[in-house]
Amino acid sequence: MPNRGDVNPYGIAFVPSGVPSWSTLSPGDVVVSNFNAASNKQGTGTTIVKLVTDSKPVAFFQGQNLGLTTALAVLKSGFVLVGNLPTTNGTNIRPPGSLLVINPQGKLVGELKDSTLLDGPWDMTVAIDQGPRVTAFVSDVLNGTVARIDINIGDSGAMLSGSSHIIASGYAHRTDPAALVVGPTGLAYDAPHDVLYVASTGDNAVFAVSGALALKHDGGMGRLIYQDNTHLHGPLALALAPNGDLVTANGDAVNPPDPQHSSEIVEFTPGGTFIAQMQVDPAAGAAFGLAFGLSSSGQSQFAAVNDSTNTATVWTLRPSSGN
């Protein structure tokens, strides 16, 4: 836990190569966003921390009256984007939330707000990163949609471009007494095929939206690619693995698992074939954010949070032609 005592880690992201040398972050670093404050009230967390091997995490960003979500991305410019969905007392959400823009020194320089495009930004993935111009996909947990947003970033702030659109909708969304809110969460973008994968927690399914980068209209939910009541239990974060498979974290808020299979991370093919699963914690609801990236030495790594024990683990993957 950071010095401020925030708990309930949600988002986790690798720092990519290309970040400036004067940034607080370096290639291969891993950062984590916290959704709860030390009080453990949901939607009150205010920190992003950098993981340090064999030591305490270092605060990268500290704000006030926030609730930092799984929508966490580090850009090649060193800027960090993070979703913010605060509550008044841990239970009442203050819509619509926003997307915070933080500079390479950990200072807030912008806050993107739009009641349609950013209505509860819950997760995100970056499709194009050209320094001052960024295109990303954001899942909106409060209205059950996915937006493609174009952002212009400068030293003094950021602006949403008029070319931003809602490109997918119709995903189940609702408030929840245990999970606070349930709706579309994890996003993974396959750039070579221009396909956006969406983990819809409330539908207990994963969908594929084709032509996502070029869409200028709402394409609905997309094509169902994976619905497996044996292995899916409210999928949350979603990522593309180096071998081309998809990996998601079960939040256990939908289709509750048997006690032997709670908090599982599940791997499956884009064609919908189950491959493997790994338990994060024996307690239900512990899995959330996950990510693939590269270490500072260029080795493939996988990272995931455990918001039951307030920990994060980074695994180094050995080279393999298999799973």
Side-chain angles (χ1 to χ4, degrees):
M1 293 183 289
N3 292 335
R4 189 174 281 190
D6 283 2
V7 295
N8 207 6
Y10 265 24
I12 190 164
F14 284 86
V15 177
S17 59
V19 296
S21 58
W22 44 266
S23 171
T24 306
L25 303 173
S26 301
D29 284 348
V30 177
V31 292
V32 178
S33 56
N34 292 294
F35 193 61
N36 294 12
S39 64
N40 203 26
K41 291 182 178 180
Q42 297 200 77
T44 57
T46 61
T47 55
I48 298 174
V49 296
K50 178 176 73 172
L51 303 186
V52 178
T53 303
D54 299 326
S55 185
K56 293 181 178 181
V58 173
F60 167 72
F61 168 75
Q62 295 186 151
Q64 298 291 334
N65 303 317
L66 306 172
L68 302 183
T69 71
T70 325
L72 178 65
V74 184
L75 306 177
K76 294 177 182 178
S77 60
F79 281 80
V80 174
L81 305 176
V82 64
N84 166 42
L85 186 59
T87 66
T88 55
N89 55 8
T91 56
N92 296 326
I93 297 170
R94 290 190 284 139
S98 65
L99 196 65
L100 305 182
V101 182
I102 302 164
N103 73 12
Q105 288 76 40
K107 304 298 182 182
L108 181 66
V109 295
E111 185 175 12
L112 304 176
K113 290 186 175 183
D114 188 293
S115 59
T116 300
L117 296 170
L118 299 172
D119 191 13
W122 204 229
D123 203 351
M124 70 180 301
T125 187
V126 174
I128 299 175
D129 183 355
Q130 296 177 333
R133 183 169 174 82
V134 172
T135 297
F137 298 101
V138 180
S139 56
D140 292 318
V141 73
L142 297 182
N143 64 12
T145 67
V146 174
R148 187 189 67 245
I149 60 172
D150 294 320
I151 311 171
N152 297 313
I153 300 177
D155 292 339
S156 59
M159 292 182 59
L160 279 173
S161 169
S163 57
S164 302
H165 295 281
I166 295 294
I167 64 161
S169 67
Y171 306 108
H173 59 286
R174 58 178 170 80
T175 56
D176 185 272
L180 183 67
V181 64
V182 169
T185 307
L187 301 173
Y189 181 60
D190 179 357
H193 300 96
D194 192 17
V195 175
L196 179 70
Y197 296 99
V198 182
S200 181
T201 309
D203 294 298
N204 200 44
V206 179
F207 297 85
V209 179
S210 299
L213 201 60
L215 276 177
K216 295 183 179 180
H217 64 276
D218 182 349
M221 298 175 72
R223 174 172 52 90
L224 176 67
I225 65 160
Y226 189 54
Q227 191 169 41
D228 176 356
N229 286 336
T230 299
H231 300 107
L232 281 187
H233 306 284
L236 293 170
L238 184 70
L240 274 170
N243 65 356
D245 286 346
L246 289 158
V247 175
T248 192
N250 277 321
D252 300 330
V254 177
N255 183 35
D258 67 79
Q260 300 301 314
H261 295 286
S262 57
S263 300
E264 298 276 4
I265 291 175
V266 178
E267 177 186 358
F268 55 97
T269 69
T273 300
F274 169 78
I275 298 297
Q277 63 183 8
M278 176 182 70
Q279 190 173 63
V280 169
D281 192 278
F288 211 131
L290 51 79
F292 288 92
L294 298 176
S295 69
S296 58
S297 61
Q299 293 177 292
S300 292
Q301 292 187 318
F302 173 67
V305 303
N306 180 333
D307 62 19
S308 176
T309 59
N310 302 305
T311 58
T313 302
V314 180
W315 292 267
T316 297
L317 307 179
R318 61 178 180 268
S320 172
S321 58
N323 296 323

